[in-house]
Amino acid sequence: MNITIHEALRAYIDPLTEHEYAALERSILTEGCRDALVCWGDVLIDGHNRYAICQKHQIPFKVVQNDNFSNIEDVQLWMIDNHLARRSVSDFQRGMLALRKKEIITARTKHHDTNAPSVEGEADIAVPVIKPTQSRQEIAREAGISSNAVVQIEKIQRTASPALVQAVRDGTISISAAAAVASLPDEEQQAAVAGGRKELQQAARQVREKIREQKAPTKIAKQVAESEESSDVNNGNAVTSHHYGGDAEVPVLQQKIIALQSENAALLKKIAELQAALEKVHTGSY
């Protein structure tokens, strides 16, 4: 039969790496094309790599039809679910696929809401609509990854350079490290990618250390403010409780409270310095 390659569909799913493609080619050359290609009419929707290898080496293959689609979006959703079911798909690819699924369903829902029938009588016609995936928890469950990984993948989508995205796909850098490097300007991202795995890890480490340093003063200020607020409350209670015993005790209590506040602030500052020193010694995993 005549098979048509739909370029948008072929590009929709991330391509195999060179290593994966070579392994698939060896398998087909040794055992033949065991899995049938799937077509929607004459459009190939699953098995693009197998088809290319079979064509190259003149290896026979089987084709099965799937006609349960009404439009190209249905095909895309089926392709996503089909790939999410495969164990060989990486966590990054799973997250990207689940986010793409959300985009398709959300766009479809908006289109349906905009074009909903308003004529009396037509409103009774039931039109099946898939509920869009909204929360990161739902997306994470769909992809089989953590909610934190979804947040990191969204950041990579927004700010990572193409070179950095490819490094994540290739497994050169982890999702969490890539999300950190994605905070850098494009030029610095590209330089880190060009430097290889160690350079990427070093760049991610530096970004994380900078973020921790920026958060430390804020954390200490919050702790001091909470301490002072607590002291103010205690001060008010002390004044109230001792007022009937004599006003002369109030200045003495206030001086003690001020001294305790000063001592507490000094201790918090010392703790922050020790924490910063420990963080520099113990780096995180990448």
Side-chain angles (χ1 to χ4, degrees), residues 84-223:
L84 285 174
R86 294 176 177 173
R87 290 178 296 177
S88 60
V89 180
S90 70
D91 285 351
F92 179 72
Q93 289 173 318
R94 289 181 178 279
M96 293 287 285
L97 289 169
L99 288 169
R100 288 173 186 170
K101 182 174 182 178
K102 175 188 175 183
E103 292 173 0
I104 293 172
I105 296 176
T106 301
R108 173 177 289 184
T109 303
K110 288 180 179 179
H111 177 75
H112 174 266
D113 293 341
T114 303
N115 296 277
S118 57
V119 180
E120 187 176 353
E122 292 184 1
D124 296 332
I125 301 174
V127 179
V129 179
I130 304 173
K131 181 182 177 182
T133 304
Q134 295 288 348
S135 69
R136 289 194 177 101
Q137 288 76 16
E138 290 174 314
I139 296 171
R141 186 163 52 251
E142 180 87 20
I145 59 178
S146 68
S147 298
N148 189 45
V150 173
V151 174
Q152 293 168 341
I153 292 171
E154 287 178 319
K155 181 178 180 181
I156 293 169
Q157 275 187 319
R158 292 193 308 269
T159 61
S161 65
L164 181 58
V165 172
Q166 189 59 49
V168 188
R169 286 175 174 164
D170 294 342
T172 306
I173 185 173
S174 67
I175 295 173
S176 60
V181 177
S183 303
L184 299 171
D186 283 355
E187 297 79 7
E188 294 183 33
Q189 292 183 36
Q190 293 172 14
V193 172
R197 184 185 297 271
K198 289 186 178 180
E199 187 68 26
L200 283 167
Q201 290 177 345
Q202 178 63 23
R205 185 182 299 112
Q206 291 174 348
V207 170
R208 287 167 173 163
E209 288 178 352
K210 185 176 181 180
I211 292 173
R212 282 194 290 266
E213 290 172 0
Q214 291 173 343
K215 286 183 177 180
T218 303
K219 183 177 180 181
I220 294 301
K222 182 179 179 181
Q223 289 175 330

